[in-house]
Amino acid sequence: MSDFAPSNDPALRVAVIIGSARGGGSGLSVAEWFTGHVGHRPDIDLDVVDVAGLDLPVSMPGRDGLPAPAPGTQAVLADVSPRLAAAEAFVVVTPEYNHSFPASLKNLIDWHYTQWQAKPIGFVSYGGLSGGLRAVEQLRQVFAELHAMTVRDSVSLHGPWSGLGEDGRPLDPVVLESAAKNMVDQLLWWGRALRTARAEHPYGM
């Protein structure tokens, strides 16, 4: 895909969500590689949200007439929910667990609704032969239900060929960096277009 034309629009606010809470996993290394590679771009403003640091219970009080969330949960939501709402686009970093995505990621998604609406989402996935692509395809269905728009291209790290080495660097940087550029370019195009659309015609479902 050819390069998108440069824009004088303000930098797009992109929340990078690390979806795995499994100890000893590669999510943080993958996210650090991705943010290190694209973070220098003047057209994006990154905010990293790590689900491993969010103590969100799987039960969701405060809905359907149930009591409000516990104070600790309210404190977590008071921090993370405004950050998701302020984001104009998202990049989800996800592994593949048993042919799907982590429960910790789904839990964060399900605690929110309007924060995802009419915004674009890109994916960086990793894991085994599939590179996490089966998790990504399932997440596309989840985000479609939440009125979000997932971009076509994604970045996938297939271990052990194009995953991360012991130094935390990609084993095949040329391929991955090209994939990251394509995905981010698409994310920016949709992010700008949807930012304008939301401003002119507020989205509500």
Side-chain angles (χ1 to χ4, degrees):
M1 187 167 194
S2 60
D3 290 347
F4 288 97
S7 171
N8 293 322
D9 292 343
L12 197 74
R13 297 189 299 274
V14 178
V16 178
I17 300 173
I18 305 175
S20 174
R22 179 178 290 182
S26 300
L28 184 59
S29 295
V30 173
E32 287 177 347
W33 164 76
F34 176 76
T35 56
H37 178 61
V38 305
H40 67 280
R41 294 180 57 147
D43 45 7
I44 58 176
D45 181 13
L46 298 178
D47 178 23
V48 177
V49 177
D50 188 350
V51 299
L54 303 177
D55 187 15
L56 286 175
V58 293
S59 60
M60 297 183 183
R63 302 183 182 212
D64 300 325
L66 295 174
T73 302
Q74 292 185 45
V76 173
L77 293 172
D79 172 60
V80 71
S81 298
R83 293 165 65 187
L84 299 181
E88 299 172 299
F90 303 94
V91 172
V92 176
V93 179
T94 183
E96 181 179 311
Y97 295 162
N98 301 319
H99 283 217
S100 188
F101 51 86
S104 52
L105 174 57
K106 186 62 160 58
N107 194 41
L108 173 66
I109 294 171
D110 288 347
W111 270 99
H112 299 88
Y113 184 65
T114 58
Q115 291 84 355
W116 313 112
Q117 289 183 348
K119 296 176 183 179
I121 298 176
F123 298 99
V124 178
S125 64
Y126 59 97
L129 295 175
S130 74
L133 291 176
R134 288 174 292 212
V136 168
E137 290 309 305
Q138 293 179 35
L139 282 166
R140 291 186 189 279
Q141 299 177 58
V142 172
F143 282 115
E145 179 64 18
L146 292 167
H147 302 266
M149 208 295 303
T150 59
V151 302
R152 177 193 180 278
D153 286 12
S154 64
V155 183
S156 58
L157 289 83
H158 300 256
W161 299 280
S162 60
L164 296 175
E166 293 183 0
D167 60 357
R169 296 180 180 275
L171 298 176
D172 192 347
V174 175
V175 171
L176 290 177
E177 289 170 7
S178 175
K181 181 182 184 304
N182 289 341
M183 184 269 282
V184 171
D185 282 347
Q186 292 173 21
L187 192 77
L188 286 167
W189 191 94
W190 281 106
R192 292 169 184 145
L194 291 172
R195 174 166 60 189
T196 299
R198 290 194 307 274
E200 296 179 354
H201 306 283
Y203 192 91
M205 296 296 294

